[in-house]
Amino acid sequence: MKYTITILTAVLLFLSIFSTPLVLAETLDDTTPSGVSFEDLDIFINEYVDEYIGETLTGASVILLKNGEVVFSKGYGLADMDNGKEVDPDTTLMEWGSVSKVVTWIAVMQLVEEGKIDLNEDISTYLPDSFLTKLSYSEPITMYHLMHHTAGFEEYLFDLGYSDPTEIVSLKEGLIKTEPNQVYPPGEVVAYSNYSTALAGYIVELLSGQSFDEYVKDHIFEPLGMDTTEYNVVNHEEMAKGYVQTGPGQFQEYQPFFMSLYPAGALSGSAMDLAKLASALTNQEEALTLFKDIETLNTFLTTSYSPVEGFAINAHGLWEYKGNYRGLGHGGNTDAFSANFHLVPEQQFSIVILTNQAGEIDVSIGLIEALVTEMDHSIDSNEGFEASSVEGTYLSGRRTHNSFINLYYYLIPLKVTSLNDNEINVSLAGMNATYVQTQPYLYEMVTGAPFYHTMKEIYFHVENGHVSKISAPISDYLPLPQSKASLYIQAVLFVICSVYFLLSPFVLIVRWIVSKIRREKVFKTVKWSTFIQLSGFGMLVNTIVLIIRMLSNFSRSYSDIKVHFIINYLFTGLITLSIILLSIYAVRNTLTKGQKFRSLISIVMAIMFLLLLMTWSFYQ
């Protein structure tokens, strides 16, 4: 009996020692990376999403996977508000936007595996002779540069997307039509580029001997059973309608999005189809459906770009994400849809979120943060350099340089201000975040708007005591190329010119009425000045209409706005001719002081206005 009790005691003691680790192991296996129990997922996600559905979001599909199996799948809100059709993650199709790029990079890695692509090779060896005509630097562009968005291309917005599918041209024609200028040396600046990804897709097309969409269908979609996924979907009965928010709880249906550069962002499909892709990238058995060797998957998910030791940004086209565990992912936006795709390879965990809402971040970004990172985490700061040394105003590296749209970026700069020796506030377009210095010049976000969850860490490159660049995922930020004083002066001069030319027609009408009453021949002596004023008025109105049209819809073809540039050239010619004739007239004839003053003001205002429009590229 005593022997039995002794054995029983030993068994109980053994169980008491090892029971806690067993429970912990089970708990870790049944939670999200942030620690949310799978049993509580329904309540947790419902409470999170319900806060936004109908308020800032029309509809969403949310799917979570663990070890290749779906642990949560649910649709929220409406796919079609007019008909009350609900979102179904299995059948509702939504635009993926730039999440489509993940498919392009998988295709590239498949050809790397076959030995057809060398990631370090000059891409000109794969392209037709003289295919790229706007390169400014002699250094070669490699596939790595395309993957890391460091090829040096400026942002080019025209002809990126269309609301009318009949405007689509072939991938090759689209690339030729929309080739951007190269404004940075290859490898120096991260500047997110749709063109780079589309160019990579074209290389896949050339080397595989198939059109890119056919290649992807044969080598990715069909092997994974992604039956609902295709590029540039037109009139599919299960396609959700996309919306933009016009006010609190108010939404307006918006146009679909079609692309010639389709490898960069034209896929539509169900959330379940995208979940199949996520599963194949986090489950080694399924990965062999995509790759012949599991090492290709491992390489694909390995960091390939890090601007400084300890700060990883990119893994072969996937953006790195700092959470409780290393994350990889890609977001996407079109004119009326938002999406996010997130992998946690170490945990074989993944999240897919699709929404039919333009510019949505609260769920597509915020929910992922809640599921992969503890919300109450704190960061220990280390000794570093005083935060005041990185204060300043910066512009996104991802911007246009040779178009009037460049002005838009000056209106939304990134502003950095120090809070104390180790903390900074970062502000962009009214959104703020607090960062703390964890290593010299390396800052990690503590709190901030969902937008900043895509740039959890930022690094300041300092040369000779000045910040030369801020490294961040998606886009680096660079110091203002012009001083604030210069920008303010230009803005003031533009306002003065605008007021002058806007008032000119009314002043001329008043003077014409007065001259009729007094029977004076006013226009005989100042007719060329009048032409200058009226031409300036016309040019100003044309420029304002151009700005309004672009701000209301960036998805335009160049041909749609080309007329505005032609009008500007015509008015410029008329103003120039009028200035010359007015000057000749003034030399040959005697003018009163009033006439001389009005003529001089007209000439000065016109020249100043033309110079400002040239400086801001309103002619191209």
Side-chain angles (χ1 to χ4, degrees):
M1 183 67 177
K2 186 182 293 186
Y3 180 75
T4 302
I5 293 174
T6 302
I7 294 177
L8 181 60
T9 301
V11 170
L12 290 173
L13 179 61
F14 177 87
L15 290 175
S16 69
I17 294 173
F18 290 97
S19 60
T20 301
L22 287 174
V23 172
L24 283 175
E26 183 179 353
T27 301
L28 285 173
D29 194 50
D30 292 336
T31 64
T32 71
S34 67
V36 180
S37 169
F38 288 167
E39 293 181 356
D40 299 329
L41 274 180
D42 195 61
I43 296 174
F44 182 87
I45 296 177
N46 286 348
E47 289 182 350
Y48 190 101
V49 178
D50 286 347
E51 180 180 347
Y52 301 102
I53 287 292
E55 296 297 323
T56 61
L57 174 63
T58 47
S61 290
V62 180
I63 298 180
L64 277 63
L65 300 98
K66 176 76 173 182
N67 299 326
E69 297 183 2
V70 175
V71 295
F72 181 88
S73 177
K74 191 169 182 177
Y76 295 88
L78 299 174
D80 183 342
M81 297 184 72
D82 291 338
N83 298 306
K85 188 174 183 180
E86 297 182 345
V87 173
D88 184 330
D90 293 320
T91 59
T92 301
L93 309 187
M94 296 190 187
E95 294 174 358
W96 295 2
S98 288
V99 173
S100 308
K101 290 179 172 66
V102 177
V103 172
T104 302
W105 302 129
I106 291 173
V108 168
M109 293 305 296
Q110 287 178 335
L111 295 190
V112 169
E113 186 176 60
E114 293 180 17
K116 294 181 178 180
I117 290 179
D118 181 339
L119 297 176
N120 288 299
E121 180 65 57
D122 185 341
I123 60 170
S124 65
T125 61
Y126 306 125
L127 295 169
D129 291 341
S130 303
F131 186 79
L132 297 176
T133 62
K134 298 181 179 180
L135 300 182
S136 303
Y137 299 91
S138 60
E139 297 91 333
I141 296 174
T142 68
M143 185 61 72
Y144 266 134
H145 291 142
L146 299 185
M147 285 180 155
H148 302 153
H149 300 267
T150 57
F153 296 128
E154 71 173 327
E155 181 83 333
Y156 185 86
L157 294 177
F158 303 116
D159 294 291
L160 173 62
Y162 309 104
S163 57
D164 184 354
T166 62
E167 294 192 69
I168 297 174
V169 296
S170 70
L171 177 56
K172 179 181 179 180
E173 290 176 283
L175 288 166
I176 294 173
K177 189 176 185 180
T178 64
E179 183 185 353
N181 291 294
Q182 188 185 38
V183 294
Y184 308 115
E188 288 199 7
V189 176
V190 174
Y192 189 88
S193 170
N194 288 294
Y195 190 86
S196 289
T197 309
L199 187 59
Y202 181 54
I203 291 172
V204 170
E205 187 171 285
L206 293 172
L207 297 180
S208 68
Q210 294 180 275
S211 66
F212 183 77
D213 57 337
E214 289 177 350
Y215 175 89
V216 166
K217 181 180 180 181
D218 291 346
H219 294 83
I220 299 176
F221 296 159
E222 288 186 352
L224 293 179
M226 297 170 64
D227 302 325
T228 69
T229 304
E230 61 179 296
Y231 290 98
N232 290 319
V233 173
V234 180
N235 297 327
H236 194 291
E237 62 180 0
E238 294 297 336
M239 189 71 198
K241 292 182 177 180
Y243 298 90
V244 294
Q245 186 176 8
T246 57
Q250 298 179 338
F251 307 94
Q252 178 182 341
E253 184 180 343
Y254 208 62
Q255 66 233 13
F257 193 79
F258 305 100
M259 296 180 69
S260 298
L261 305 185
Y262 65 91
L267 278 177
S268 293
S270 68
M272 187 55 69
D273 262 18
L274 188 53
K276 292 175 182 177
L277 186 68
S279 179
L281 295 177
T282 54
N283 184 289
Q284 294 199 352
E285 291 184 10
E286 291 185 51
L288 294 176
T289 307
L290 293 176
F291 305 113
K292 298 174 184 178
D293 190 333
I294 199 64
E295 281 306 309
T296 306
L297 171 65
N298 294 336
T299 299
F300 181 40
L301 302 181
T302 299
T303 299
S304 55
Y305 177 74
S306 178
V308 65
E309 186 177 352
F311 177 33
I313 285 183
N314 195 294
H316 298 87
L318 297 175
W319 299 107
E320 303 247 16
Y321 190 96
K322 185 167 184 177
N324 287 3
Y325 300 89
R326 173 176 175 263
L328 300 168
H330 212 296
N333 289 279
T334 64
D335 283 348
F337 291 82
S338 303
N340 213 336
F341 175 86
H342 191 89
L343 310 175
V344 185
E346 184 181 347
Q347 295 291 300
Q348 294 189 45
F349 181 82
S350 53
I351 306 170
V352 167
I353 298 177
L354 302 180
T355 80
N356 57 337
Q357 178 71 52
E360 201 285 323
I361 59 177
D362 293 311
V363 172
S364 60
I365 295 178
L367 179 57
I368 287 181
E369 169 73 1
L371 293 171
V372 302
T373 304
E374 293 179 31
M375 300 304 289
D376 60 348
H377 72 288
S378 59
I379 300 172
D380 295 327
S381 62
N382 295 321
E383 289 294 328
F385 295 91
E386 290 186 4
S388 59
S389 65
V390 299
E391 287 186 321
T393 304
Y394 306 88
L395 292 185
S396 173
R398 181 195 181 184
R399 60 187 176 89
T400 58
H401 287 244
N402 299 281
S403 164
F404 69 93
I405 299 174
N406 187 27
L407 268 178
Y408 173 76
Y409 299 92
Y410 282 91
L411 300 177
I412 51 169
L414 183 83
K415 296 182 179 180
V416 178
T417 55
S418 62
L419 300 176
N420 54 53
D421 286 348
N422 259 352
E423 287 186 307
I424 58 174
N425 179 78
V426 177
S427 175
L428 178 66
M431 297 178 290
N432 291 276
T434 300
Y435 286 75
V436 64
Q437 189 172 199
T438 57
Q439 297 178 29
Y441 297 125
L442 180 63
Y443 286 78
E444 185 172 344
M445 189 188 80
V446 180
T447 59
F451 166 81
Y452 292 99
H453 294 159
T454 61
M455 45 189 290
K456 300 282 286 294
E457 287 187 314
I458 55 178
Y459 180 80
F460 293 83
H461 299 260
V462 177
E463 298 176 5
N464 300 321
H466 299 283
V467 176
S468 60
K469 179 177 70 174
I470 303 175
S471 282
I474 301 178
S475 177
D476 290 344
Y477 289 85
L478 307 172
L480 285 174
Q482 301 183 54
S483 68
K484 288 185 178 180
S486 172
L487 293 172
Y488 289 145
I489 291 172
Q490 291 178 43
V492 170
L493 292 178
F494 182 77
V495 170
I496 292 173
C497 290
S498 297
V499 171
Y500 176 80
F501 286 117
L502 283 174
L503 293 179
S504 289
F506 302 102
V507 173
L508 288 171
I509 291 173
V510 171
R511 291 182 61 233
W512 180 80
I513 294 173
V514 172
S515 69
K516 284 295 183 181
I517 294 174
R518 296 180 178 179
R519 297 182 179 181
E520 297 175 349
K521 296 181 179 181
V522 177
F523 287 88
K524 181 178 180 180
T525 56
V526 295
K527 60 181 178 180
W528 299 119
S529 178
T530 300
F531 288 150
I532 292 173
Q533 294 169 20
L534 293 179
S535 297
F537 173 79
M539 196 169 185
L540 177 62
V541 170
N542 177 62
T543 300
I544 292 173
V545 172
L546 171 60
I547 293 172
I548 292 173
R549 292 189 68 200
M550 284 304 302
L551 290 178
S552 65
N553 179 15
F554 276 108
S555 299
R556 293 186 181 275
S557 63
Y558 179 74
S559 60
D560 186 31
I561 65 166
K562 186 177 181 180
V563 63
H564 294 287
F565 301 124
I566 294 175
I567 291 173
N568 274 352
Y569 275 112
L570 292 175
F571 276 127
T572 299
L574 185 56
I575 289 173
T576 303
L577 179 61
S578 298
I579 290 175
I580 293 172
L581 294 176
L582 177 58
S583 301
I584 294 173
Y585 184 88
V587 170
R588 293 180 176 179
N589 296 274
T590 301
L591 302 180
T592 66
K593 290 183 178 180
Q595 291 170 342
K596 289 180 179 180
F597 178 76
R598 287 193 295 271
S599 299
L600 180 61
I601 289 296
S602 295
I603 292 174
V604 170
M605 287 294 178
I607 292 175
M608 190 160 58
F609 187 52
L610 295 180
L611 289 175
L612 286 170
L613 293 184
M614 290 177 187
T615 300
W616 295 340
S617 301
F618 274 96
Y619 291 89
Q620 58 184 343

